[in-house]
Amino acid sequence: MTVRVRFAPSPTGMFHVGGARSALQNWIYAKQHDGVFVLRIEDTDAARNRPEWTEGILSALDWIGIERGTYEGPHYQSSYAADHSAAATRLYAEGKAYYCGCKREDVIARTGNQHSGYDGFCRDKGLGPGEGRALRFRTPDEGETVVEDLVRGKPTFDNKLIEDFVIARGDGSPLFLLANVVDDMTMAITHVIRAEEHLPNTPKQQMLWEALGHTPPVWAHVPVIVNEKRQKLSKRRDKVALESYRDEGYLAAAMKNYLMLLGWAPSGDREIVPWQVIEEEFRLEDVSHASAFFDVKKLRAFNGDYIRALAPDEFAACCAPWLQGTGTIPAPPWRPEDFDIQVFTAVAPLAQTRIAVLSEIVNYVDFLFLDEPIRDEASWAKAMKGDAAEILDAAATAFEALDQWSAEPLKAALEEVGMARELKLGKTQAPVRVAVTGRSVGLPLFESIEVLGRERTLRRLRSARAEL
């Protein structure tokens, strides 16, 4: 048997990080077993589907290494509508499904309980298709349905507690449960790896597989991803869009590594490991049952470690989108013609040790490519008080007199300015840093001044002094 897995997202919004984790798990499982990864776009919700969401899915998969041309598909669920309808017709013809004209309020009126499931009222009425009549699957009255699950063992469901569920609406259009099963059959899917939230639907889908004469796939339900309050990640409440993390400057390698740790861990006391190790060691049987906390702070720290591990030329290349701007990344505050790659290359190693996401690079280097630095008012208010004016005057005089414009002489000159006033270097350099860079936090000051150059540095010191 050739292993065939599928990833089946709906193009109704940004690409969820939970979907990215499922895609990676399916991708790895297929690779481990010399199998096939199938991408199916479940696009039957015409009111919510948009072409840009489909492209977003494809580009997000590209970013995490599941690239177009390396998998089967994308197939589109809407293309299989005839198969869905044929399956519904077959189930009805074989007596495995029946038409029902009940509305929800009818069931509540009969049972007196707004939370109860369908009571089987139309089960034996022999109704045919008609306006407002949904098609319900006839579930077994007795016995149990056992789900063979690579993650959860053998979850068992009492059949009498599973209501006769709807598989096609009153207008004849199939529901997700049926369409999903028929597509998996059509595409010969052997393993379904998905989030735990789908587990309650699994006995129903397994019944449909068997009713349509097929052996159900091997199931694997991985833990749901939650936020710090242990709530399931929500698009409305939480930061869940993979594209947002990408455009903020998270590295694909860091994101992939982190996502795979949500419910699983590599061998040894380690978390940051090469992707090859993850591909070799990942086992669905080792995935935890407990919900997985998506810790953004931890992801950020992960990303910082990955950034620091880059070779200098790799780091510079990774920063390029934020130094230039793209269709989804805003342009930096400087004019394109004012950007100097040699200047950036000179300070890039200094920035590489300080940033956690690539978008932060702009605030670290913008002072080098602007006529005047962008002023942080809080930094200015804190630094430009007391003897700040005197320090700026003395610093400008000392710097102007230097024969060698480099970090060490610059530092020594400012230390002398401070010693003459019985000030430590940290206190002395505070107004100088804000005058030159606009902020109180940034790259090492003297290396920054060296790269900025004598003329621009002196001009900024004197300009700041004139405002005091």
Side-chain angles (χ1 to χ4, degrees), residues 174-248:
L175 266 67
F176 163 79
L177 283 175
L178 180 61
N180 191 266
V181 166
V182 171
D183 290 344
D184 284 347
M185 291 177 181
T186 302
M187 298 172 192
I189 301 303
T190 62
H191 294 69
V192 173
I193 304 166
R194 59 187 182 181
E196 173 191 1
E197 64 200 73
H198 295 288
L199 183 58
N201 284 330
T202 305
K204 299 176 183 179
Q205 292 184 307
Q206 187 159 302
M207 290 176 184
L208 288 172
W209 274 83
E210 293 167 348
L212 290 168
H214 290 258
T215 301
V218 177
W219 308 98
H221 289 89
V222 298
V224 67
I225 302 177
V226 297
N227 62 18
E228 69 280 359
K229 296 181 180 178
R230 314 309 291 180
Q231 301 167 319
K232 178 186 170 185
L233 285 188
S234 165
K235 290 182 178 180
R236 293 184 178 88
R237 181 185 57 239
D238 303 304
K239 182 179 175 182
V240 300
L242 190 70
E243 298 96 321
S244 295
Y245 288 100
R246 178 189 63 195
D247 292 347
E248 190 176 337

Side-chain angles (χ1 to χ4, degrees), residues 27 41 160 167 185 224 237 268 285 320 379 390 435 437 447:
W27 179 253
I41 306 296
K160 67 182 179 182
I167 57 175
M185 291 177 181
V224 67
R237 181 185 57 239
E285 293 84 354
S379 298
E390 184 180 341
T437 71
E447 287 81 353

Side-chain angles (χ1 to χ4, degrees), residues 80-99:
Y80 296 87
D83 294 335
H84 306 156
S85 297
T89 300
R90 175 183 166 186
L91 291 171
Y92 171 67
E94 295 177 357
K96 298 172 182 176
Y98 61 92
Y99 283 97

Side-chain angles (χ1 to χ4, degrees), residues 5-277:
V5 301
R6 50 79 164 170
F7 177 58
S10 298
T12 56
M14 301 292 276
F15 192 65
H16 198 290
V17 291
R21 182 192 63 170
S22 293
L24 289 170
Q25 290 171 333
N26 277 278
W27 179 253
I28 291 174
Y29 194 84
K31 290 192 71 173
Q32 288 176 338
H33 296 84
D34 294 323
V36 178
F37 177 97
V38 179
L39 176 62
R40 182 172 73 234
I41 306 296
E42 299 199 332
D43 62 340
T44 52
D45 188 348
R48 298 175 61 204
N49 293 339
R50 287 172 19 196
E52 57 266 35
W53 297 138
T54 297
E55 175 56 31
I57 291 169
L58 299 177
S59 65
L61 290 175
D62 285 340
W63 185 61
I64 58 174
I66 305 176
E67 299 177 341
R68 280 172 261 209
T70 63
Y71 51 78
E72 181 182 310
H75 300 296
Y76 292 88
Q77 189 171 63
S78 57
S79 301
Y80 296 87
D83 294 335
H84 306 156
S85 297
T89 300
R90 175 183 166 186
L91 291 171
Y92 171 67
E94 295 177 357
K96 298 172 182 176
Y98 61 92
Y99 283 97
C100 170
C102 296
K103 297 178 181 176
R104 181 63 190 158
E105 51 265 34
D106 298 332
V107 177
I108 295 173
R110 287 195 299 268
T111 63
N113 184 348
Q114 62 178 341
H115 302 295
S116 66
Y118 179 65
D119 57 358
F121 184 78
C122 293
R123 188 178 239 216
D124 299 314
K125 284 195 169 186
L127 298 177
E131 184 177 352
R133 292 179 180 175
L135 186 64
R136 289 184 179 273
F137 182 78
R138 188 186 297 268
T139 60
D141 296 321
E142 300 176 345
E144 297 175 329
T145 296
V146 179
V147 173
E148 300 280 350
D149 193 298
L150 291 177
V151 175
R152 301 180 181 277
K154 295 184 178 182
T156 301
F157 300 84
D158 190 343
N159 290 337
K160 67 182 179 182
L161 299 180
I162 302 175
E163 68 177 8
D164 291 351
F165 53 92
V166 176
I167 57 175
R169 302 178 183 86
D171 62 3
S173 59
L175 266 67
F176 163 79
L177 283 175
L178 180 61
N180 191 266
V181 166
V182 171
D183 290 344
D184 284 347
M185 291 177 181
T186 302
M187 298 172 192
I189 301 303
T190 62
H191 294 69
V192 173
I193 304 166
R194 59 187 182 181
E196 173 191 1
E197 64 200 73
H198 295 288
L199 183 58
N201 284 330
T202 305
K204 299 176 183 179
Q205 292 184 307
Q206 187 159 302
M207 290 176 184
L208 288 172
W209 274 83
E210 293 167 348
L212 290 168
H214 290 258
T215 301
V218 177
W219 308 98
H221 289 89
V222 298
V224 67
I225 302 177
V226 297
N227 62 18
E228 69 280 359
K229 296 181 180 178
R230 314 309 291 180
Q231 301 167 319
K232 178 186 170 185
L233 285 188
S234 165
K235 290 182 178 180
R236 293 184 178 88
R237 181 185 57 239
D238 303 304
K239 182 179 175 182
V240 300
L242 190 70
E243 298 96 321
S244 295
Y245 288 100
R246 178 189 63 195
D247 292 347
E248 190 176 337
Y250 285 82
L251 296 173
M255 178 61 77
K256 290 165 62 179
N257 188 163
Y258 183 72
L259 288 175
M260 288 302 297
L261 297 181
L262 298 178
W264 174 83
S267 62
D269 186 18
R270 55 183 180 165
E271 292 184 310
I272 296 179
V273 294
W275 184 248
Q276 182 180 352
V277 171

Side-chain angles (χ1 to χ4, degrees), residues 357-394:
V357 291
L358 294 172
S359 58
E360 293 174 344
I361 191 64
V362 174
N363 287 343
Y364 274 93
V365 304
D366 57 3
F367 74 96
L368 294 167
F369 309 117
L370 294 167
D371 293 334
E372 297 296 334
I374 297 173
R375 180 186 296 180
D376 176 66
E377 294 300 336
S379 298
W380 178 275
K382 185 176 180 179
M384 300 302 185
K385 59 185 180 182
D387 49 6
E390 184 180 341
I391 291 173
L392 292 174
D393 276 337

